[in-house]
Amino acid sequence: MYKAIIFDVYGTIFDMESLKNDMDQFNEVEAKSISQLWRKTQLEHMFLRQVMQRYIPFDELTKESLRYVLDVHEIQYNREDVNQLFDAFLDLDYFKEIPKVLSELNAKNLEIGVLSNANDNMLMPLVDNSEINKYIDTVISVNEIKQYKPSPASYALILKYYQMTREDILFVSSNAWDVSGAANFGFDTVWVNRSKSYFDYNGQSPTMTVNNLNEMVKWLEMNKR
Amino acid sequence: MYKAIIFDVYGTIFDMESLKNDMDQFNEVEAKSISQLWRKTQLEHMFLRQVMQRYIPFDELTKESLRYVLDVHEIQYNREDVNQLFDAFLDLDYFKEIPKVLSELNAKNLEIGVLSNANDNMLMPLVDNSEINKYIDTVISVNEIKQYKPSPASYALILKYYQMTREDILFVSSNAWDVSGAANFGFDTVWVNRSKSYFDYNGQSPTMTVNNLNEMVKWLEMNKR
């Protein structure tokens, strides 16, 4: 039986589709296009900065990505516009099953943590100040070591906070690259495949694939190893 | 004045749009969709494998990416199908200005090399056995150190082959991430912006931006520093 369940944040607990909801200045089509390219660019910058060994905190990286996205959309902007749009990242909606699922995991005496590439400026408003924070023991940011997921060093941070062996940890993410990274480090993993996609195999497969987190709770109950 | 011009291969010398030309078994729309997602997935896998510290040779990585792309397109395949489609990567078209440009650079007594993430299995048929090979002094593959671009170590390989200082080298790429990586290492860079895109700024800007390589030759002639 696992002792701790560690969740990814963006896309796993919080719905990235809600990023477009705080963009009233754009029409629906434009807001969707901006939010999707923003997330895609943010991920690319993250991986590339890790490869180039040029870490910058996630809030800065997120704003840098946004400027490119606004350029591509031929939208004029100043610093204030960027800061105002950035706030959309601090006000995402969690998936509706999350409070129930975390509460059920708490009841099983499992530790619950999150590991995110975001820094505290972004995690505090989103996680710490949200109503689901009461279910979460530990909020871990890679900013502590300045190495982004999916680097091995980022997942090693979990073992620093939890005095456990790798076998005690279950890592949960909707992002195939994050599942690959955690599995590569040696954790069992759950891939939350909400959009019924194909897993983008890159050397590692998830221990378990589920369509939502309720299914994960059921799987845990069936597999009390 | 620079002493050596080092080119990226895919997208810079060879046209990635020609990837779809060897896919007769699919219709035009499908071939385009497959070739675009294939290249996108190949790049993602490359960056992620570098971050996860799990290098595999580029031909294997290219086939692994292809399997995901065929899954997404709901296309059944066996090993032979993958190998046959993979051959499209060994038969790309170079941009029409390439022979003239390389010949002009040769006439200026500039050394000409390429640095690629591909391994010899892919570079030999594409570069060494092509008619443009006579203009190229050195074909460098990151497979020698098993670290993909844009890692600093990959660009350092250039200095191993050319006994020059960083200031002597001009690095040329159509890929913004590659320009960023080379500039991050300390080379002057040219971004070949054939599609009139915005540069995806990620900490570094190109020394010069041109729309094609003829423009680069003109720029070199105007800037004999």
Side-chain angles (χ1 to χ4, degrees):
Chain A
M1 186 67 181
Y2 302 112
K3 292 182 184 166
I5 319 275
I6 311 298
F7 290 83
D8 169 53
V9 172
Y10 299 114
T12 304
I13 295 180
F14 293 94
D15 186 354
M16 296 315 292
E17 284 194 21
S18 67
L19 182 59
K20 69 177 188 304
N21 297 349
D22 283 320
M23 298 185 181
D24 294 342
Q25 63 272 60
F26 306 120
N27 66 43
E28 180 74 15
V29 172
E30 205 167 32
K32 189 175 175 184
S33 170
I34 290 169
S35 64
Q36 286 178 344
L37 185 61
W38 192 4
R39 174 61 174 163
K40 179 173 167 289
T41 306
Q42 182 193 49
L43 290 173
E44 280 178 14
H45 281 208
M46 212 167 75
F47 304 146
L48 287 168
R49 288 228 167 230
Q50 181 67 22
V51 172
M52 292 192 290
Q53 301 168 19
R54 290 288 180 191
Y55 179 91
I56 56 171
F58 202 62
D59 52 351
E60 288 176 36
L61 183 146
T62 300
K63 289 178 188 177
E64 204 156 87
S65 308
L66 176 59
R67 287 190 283 268
Y68 170 69
V69 172
L70 294 174
D71 282 344
V72 169
H73 284 82
E74 310 271 354
I75 292 164
Q76 302 285 323
Y77 57 89
N78 57 30
R79 185 181 303 199
E80 202 181 324
D81 299 328
V82 168
N83 288 337
Q84 190 252 312
L85 275 167
F86 171 78
D87 286 346
F89 248 99
L90 313 179
D91 188 30
L92 300 167
D93 299 337
Y94 51 73
F95 289 100
K96 62 180 188 313
E97 79 253 31
I98 294 290
K100 175 169 163 283
V101 163
L102 296 185
S103 157
E104 286 171 356
L105 296 175
N106 271 184
K108 294 182 202 305
N109 282 321
L110 287 159
E111 305 256 0
I112 298 179
V114 304
L115 173 69
S116 177
N117 276 335
N119 54 338
D120 287 349
N121 288 350
M122 295 182 75
L123 289 174
M124 295 278 284
L126 194 64
V127 180
D128 300 58
N129 296 336
S130 85
E131 53 200 315
I132 61 170
N133 188 44
K134 63 182 174 218
Y135 304 114
I136 298 171
D137 308 306
T138 314
V139 176
I140 309 172
S141 164
V142 303
N143 192 52
E144 190 175 327
I145 52 161
K146 304 194 189 316
Q147 293 213 52
Y148 284 123
K149 291 191 286 181
S151 67
S154 65
Y155 300 100
L157 260 180
I158 294 170
L159 298 182
K160 185 193 150 187
Y161 279 89
Y162 293 92
Q163 303 302 314
M164 299 176 183
T165 63
R166 290 179 200 206
E167 291 70 29
D168 296 329
I169 308 281
L170 181 67
F171 188 85
V172 182
S173 181
S174 296
N175 299 295
W177 57 266
D178 197 12
V179 167
S180 302
N184 178 49
F185 181 72
F187 292 142
D188 276 7
T189 55
V190 169
W191 182 42
V192 189
N193 179 20
R194 290 193 180 86
S195 56
K196 308 250 167 96
S197 310
Y198 287 91
F199 189 75
D200 186 3
Y201 180 81
N202 196 7
Q204 298 285 342
S205 298
T207 311
M208 182 65 197
T209 298
V210 297
N211 292 317
N212 57 60
L213 290 170
N214 288 317
E215 280 188 24
M216 182 187 77
V217 175
K218 278 186 209 146
W219 173 69
L220 284 171
E221 285 168 355
M222 289 187 298
N223 290 273
K224 300 195 182 197
R225 67 159 175 92
Chain B
M1 188 66 182
Y2 303 110
K3 293 182 184 163
I5 319 274
I6 311 299
F7 289 83
D8 168 55
V9 173
Y10 298 115
T12 304
I13 294 180
F14 293 94
D15 187 353
M16 296 316 292
E17 283 193 23
S18 67
L19 181 59
K20 67 178 189 300
N21 297 350
D22 284 321
M23 299 186 181
D24 294 341
Q25 63 273 60
F26 307 120
N27 67 42
E28 180 74 12
V29 173
E30 205 167 33
K32 190 175 176 185
S33 169
I34 289 169
S35 64
Q36 287 178 343
L37 184 62
W38 191 6
R39 173 61 174 161
K40 180 174 168 286
T41 306
Q42 183 194 49
L43 290 173
E44 280 178 13
H45 280 209
M46 212 167 76
F47 304 147
L48 287 168
R49 288 223 166 236
Q50 181 66 22
V51 173
M52 291 192 291
Q53 301 168 21
R54 291 287 180 193
Y55 179 90
I56 56 171
F58 203 61
D59 53 350
E60 289 177 35
L61 184 145
T62 299
K63 289 178 187 176
E64 203 155 87
S65 307
L66 177 59
R67 286 190 284 266
Y68 170 70
V69 171
L70 294 174
D71 282 344
V72 168
H73 284 81
E74 311 272 354
I75 292 163
Q76 302 285 325
Y77 57 90
N78 58 30
R79 185 183 302 202
E80 203 181 322
D81 300 327
V82 168
N83 287 339
Q84 190 251 314
L85 275 165
F86 171 80
D87 286 345
F89 248 99
L90 312 180
D91 188 30
L92 300 168
D93 299 338
Y94 52 73
F95 288 102
K96 64 181 186 315
E97 81 253 32
I98 294 290
K100 176 168 163 285
V101 163
L102 296 185
S103 156
E104 286 170 356
L105 295 174
N106 270 184
K108 294 182 201 305
N109 282 320
L110 287 161
E111 305 256 359
I112 298 180
V114 304
L115 173 69
S116 177
N117 276 336
N119 53 339
D120 287 348
N121 288 350
M122 296 181 74
L123 288 174
M124 295 280 281
L126 193 64
V127 181
D128 300 60
N129 295 337
S130 86
E131 53 200 317
I132 62 170
N133 187 46
K134 61 182 175 219
Y135 304 114
I136 299 172
D137 308 306
T138 316
V139 177
I140 309 173
S141 163
V142 303
N143 192 52
E144 188 175 329
I145 53 161
K146 304 192 189 314
Q147 293 213 53
Y148 283 125
K149 291 192 285 181
S151 67
S154 65
Y155 300 100
L157 259 181
I158 294 171
L159 298 182
K160 185 192 150 188
Y161 280 89
Y162 293 91
Q163 303 300 312
M164 300 178 182
T165 63
R166 291 179 200 207
E167 292 71 28
D168 297 330
I169 308 282
L170 181 66
F171 188 86
V172 182
S173 182
S174 295
N175 298 296
W177 58 264
D178 197 12
V179 167
S180 303
N184 178 50
F185 182 73
F187 292 142
D188 277 6
T189 55
V190 169
W191 181 43
V192 189
N193 179 20
R194 290 192 180 87
S195 56
K196 308 250 169 97
S197 308
Y198 288 89
F199 188 75
D200 187 4
Y201 180 81
N202 197 6
Q204 299 284 341
S205 297
T207 312
M208 182 65 196
T209 299
V210 296
N211 291 317
N212 56 62
L213 289 170
N214 288 317
E215 281 188 24
M216 182 186 78
V217 176
K218 280 187 205 145
W219 173 71
L220 284 171
E221 285 168 355
M222 290 188 299
N223 290 272
K224 301 197 181 191
R225 66 163 175 85

